[in-house]
Amino acid sequence: MDAILLQILNGLDKGGAYALIALGLTLVFGTLGVVNFAHGALFMLGAFCAVSFNQLIGLEKVTVDPTQMTPWGTPLEIRVPMIEDWLGATGTFILDYSVPFSILMAIPVMIIVGLIMERGLIQFFYRRTHAEQILVTFGLAIVLQELIKTWFGANPIPQVPPDTVRGAADVGTLIGFEAGQIVYPYWRLIYFLFSALIIGGVFAFLQLTTFGMVVRAGMADRETVGLFGIDIERRFTIVFGLAAVVAGLAGVMYTPILPPDYHMGMDFLVLSFVVVVVGGMGSLPGAVAAGFLLGVLQSFASMTEVKSVLPGIDQIIIYLVAVIILLVRPRGLMGRKGVMES
Amino acid sequence: MTAIKRETARGDLVRFAAFTVVILTMPLWLVPFGAAYPDLMQKFAIYGLFAIGFNILFGLTGYLSFGHAAFLGVGSYTAVWSFKLLGMNPLPAIGLAILLAGAFAWVIGFVSLRRTGIYFSILTLAFAQMSYNLAYSVLTPITNGETGLRVLNSDPRVLDHMIGAGEVEGSLVATLFGVEMNGLPGFYFCAVWLLIGMFVSFKIFRSPFGLMLQAIKSNQNRLNYTGINTRPYALTAFVISGMYAGLAGALLCVTDPLAGAERMQWTASGEVVLMTILGGAGTLLGPMLGAGIIKYSENIFSAFNEQTLHQIFGVLPDGVEGAVVSVAGLFVGEGWHLTLGLLFMLIVIFLPGGLIEGGRRIAGALSRSRKGGGIDHAHPQAAE
């Protein structure tokens, strides 16, 4: 029982990442009708926002202290991060919490990136075939990841979570298990809660605001909304920016779990597309449900007990589930009729 | 009705003859391009075959498969196993690779073709990623995992021992009737297969079967309404293109008897898609052209380094030269993939029909201006 609970927990953080990326993919597809293979690159760009924020605030001021000597006989260099120098204790705090703080940088950056991408490229592909959309965004994804590779190098750059949440929580004790049976890192819990929060936010935005209502109307019947004198394309552009922010934030917060490298976007994209298809192309709840479902399934498949019966199952479980679901339920779990079938 | 006239059997024969001459004289006319060495020309022929096969599926039926690299990988592994068990003769290796890749394609195609559009793309991608992941992990006894599968001196190689060629000094090379399949003979071996593949592709394009495939691309619903079951046709096309990929995979191992799982990764599938659309999907010669251009520029660009760049831009003034070199340095050597990605985007944005259509447009514009705005010949023909 505790093992099962632990595996469910294990799957939730990864599932959260899948769900956030799949949510953005579905939003873009539902509004603009564009299959965006560069969405994983947005996730990666978000992660590298965290990296560059960390590098930025980590810039050090070097002072030479002539009174102290190193063991090699040279004057001791004292390196102090500039931000500590300026802000004192606040600076130390910001340094410690650099990952959450980089969200502040990631949001404007991702909005700008998203808008540039949509206005500069995607808007010309509304009416081209899906194959062409896939191909051009695939090219864009390669370009983005290669740029990141030239700038940050090919090696993963580990990021650390803040000190207070670095350890693991004994989750089991909260729900009546003995201590030490279900131990789970704080940060993964935070990631799960964070993704739940973002998902809730996106849904609330779409359901409760006038803007969201217009967007939903546009998804259902874009022409009629246009006849009401609403510039639906502009709103859809903003939705693209929103999807970019969601993917970016998913990336920022994921950095302490997985050290970001330039191809993480592609790795997640392929899986997220499978998630979208399993959830049902064009269905937002489907994307979220399928994201968590596949994340949890993947963590179950990597249990040693399962692997000893079905070797290699952890490597293929997601694809296998996708194949089975597409054959049994052709439109995915919650897909609507007539989406992407021609 | 110029289109029909252009598709006469005689026209095809002439074109195929010209193609044959061009391929067989590659070692001569590639000299000025600095590409006339066998390793590269083998790649042209092999990836040309891969793209020609892919085009039979994507170009004719419009089904975009993102998992064709899996068949390439299956072909490679089969070929190496044939070397290990039967011997270094490439013919059984190729035969087995085509058969096995075809069978594999039949299974995957049977399942994937139940869906269309992006669902089909994702299904093929899923199968290819499954094969890739399995090749790396559980199937290590068959694929030798990360190290890659190679032929060893201690392998049985039954046929080799029967004809008394069992003991070989040094590294093992595929050998056809005493001729080692590397260098120029290796290229000509690949070229012969390329010509066979091209010929089959010509025949398919002009056959009723090929017309049916094009009908699937232009309107599958209408076909279904007329009572035609399109799936067997699409499946046949899928299997044929899988066999081409298997053949290409086997040839990769004939010229260099080593098979690795990275050949099956989805980036490899993306590459063949790019080759096909660069040349022109649905055209006969486009995929070959695209494969040649990609492999050529990969070879040229990735060989550049800072020093060669400094030599090239050495005539510029110092400050400018430094800037130009550092910008150009992004796109060459390690950064070749950046160039590839940009190329991908530019082609899809500006020339979705590929280079062949671009050429035809230019030719059309020229003949129009000569005739003073006569008939528009530039209508793209799917079958060209």
Side-chain angles (χ1 to χ4, degrees), chain A residues 35 121 128 132 135-136 138 140 142-143 146 266 270 273 277 281 311-312 315-316 319 326-327 330 340-341, chain B residues 111 114-116 118-119 122-123 126 129-130 133 137-138 266 273 330 337-338 341-342 344-345 348-349 352:
Chain A
V35 182
L121 180 72
R128 305 271 286 262
E132 282 171 347
L135 294 171
V136 81
F138 177 63
L140 179 65
I142 296 177
V143 168
E146 289 302 313
M266 283 293 189
V270 176
F273 246 104
V277 170
M281 207 80 199
Q315 304 282 328
I316 60 166
Y319 304 108
L326 280 191
L327 293 179
M340 284 299 271
E341 292 188 336
Chain B
V111 178
R114 283 161 186 271
R115 315 297 314 144
T116 52
I118 188 173
Y119 290 104
I122 295 290
L123 275 175
Q129 284 298 95
M130 270 200 260
N133 287 343
S137 56
V138 190
W266 67 286
V273 180
L330 284 177
H337 280 106
L338 183 62
L342 277 177
F344 216 126
M345 289 172 67
V348 182
I349 295 170

Side-chain angles (χ1 to χ4, degrees), chain B residues 26-310:
Chain B
M26 247 156 73
L28 300 176
W29 61 264
L30 278 178
V31 174
F33 299 96
Y37 49 97
D39 277 8
L40 187 58
M41 291 190 300
Q42 287 163 5
K43 288 238 157 60
F44 289 162
I46 293 169
Y47 282 95
L49 258 176
F50 190 18
I52 289 170
F54 182 77
N55 186 41
I56 291 177
L57 179 72
F58 177 56
L60 286 181
T61 68
Y63 276 94
L64 175 59
S65 159
F66 248 88
H68 255 55
F71 309 130
L72 191 79
V74 168
S76 289
Y77 283 125
T78 316
V80 175
W81 271 108
S82 156
F83 289 151
K84 285 167 92 75
L85 298 177
L86 293 177
M88 300 307 290
N89 190 326
L91 294 180
I94 286 174
L96 287 171
I98 294 178
L99 282 181
L100 207 67
F104 197 63
W106 188 84
V107 174
I108 291 183
F110 184 79
V111 178
S112 306
L113 282 166
R114 283 161 186 271
R115 315 297 314 144
T116 52
I118 188 173
Y119 290 104
F120 172 80
S121 302
I122 295 290
L123 275 175
T124 48
L125 178 63
F127 278 113
Q129 284 298 95
M130 270 200 260
S131 324
Y132 167 71
N133 287 343
L134 287 179
Y136 253 128
S137 56
V138 190
L139 295 180
T140 309
I142 303 176
T143 61
N144 207 12
E146 275 183 58
T147 337
L149 192 66
R150 51 170 69 249
V151 191
L152 304 172
N153 250 319
S154 53
D155 287 325
R157 288 183 289 122
V158 184
L159 291 177
D160 279 3
H161 284 281
M162 257 161 52
I163 59 168
E167 301 307 317
V168 181
E169 298 283 316
S171 59
L172 284 155
V173 185
T175 313
L176 182 68
F177 308 127
V179 183
E180 291 198 343
M181 286 296 118
N182 49 16
L184 220 47
F187 162 67
Y188 276 110
F189 184 72
C190 297
V192 168
W193 284 102
L194 174 64
L195 292 175
I196 296 173
M198 195 67 189
F199 184 75
V200 174
S201 164
F202 260 94
K203 284 292 170 201
I204 290 177
F205 268 65
R206 302 299 186 232
S207 65
F209 169 67
L211 278 177
M212 185 59 89
L213 296 182
Q214 286 168 41
I216 293 178
K217 183 180 189 174
S218 51
N219 198 333
Q220 190 162 7
N221 271 339
R222 199 173 288 174
L223 277 182
N224 289 336
Y225 292 151
T226 39
I228 295 168
N229 184 7
T230 53
R231 208 177 286 161
Y233 292 98
L235 183 57
T236 315
F238 193 86
V239 171
I240 291 174
S241 72
M243 289 165 119
Y244 270 83
L247 170 62
L251 285 176
L252 279 176
C253 290
V254 168
T255 52
D256 178 21
L258 171 74
E262 72 284 343
R263 247 172 230 175
M264 304 171 94
Q265 214 180 2
W266 67 286
T267 43
S269 303
E271 202 184 36
V272 73
V273 180
L274 175 60
M275 288 170 182
T276 311
I277 61 156
L278 172 65
T283 66
L284 267 167
L285 298 173
M288 179 66 223
L289 186 67
I293 290 176
I294 300 265
K295 282 292 149 190
Y296 177 70
S297 22
E298 178 181 4
N299 192 59
I300 297 294
F301 279 109
S302 51
F304 276 171
N305 53 31
E306 208 145 302
Q307 269 157 11
T308 42
L309 284 178
H310 278 296

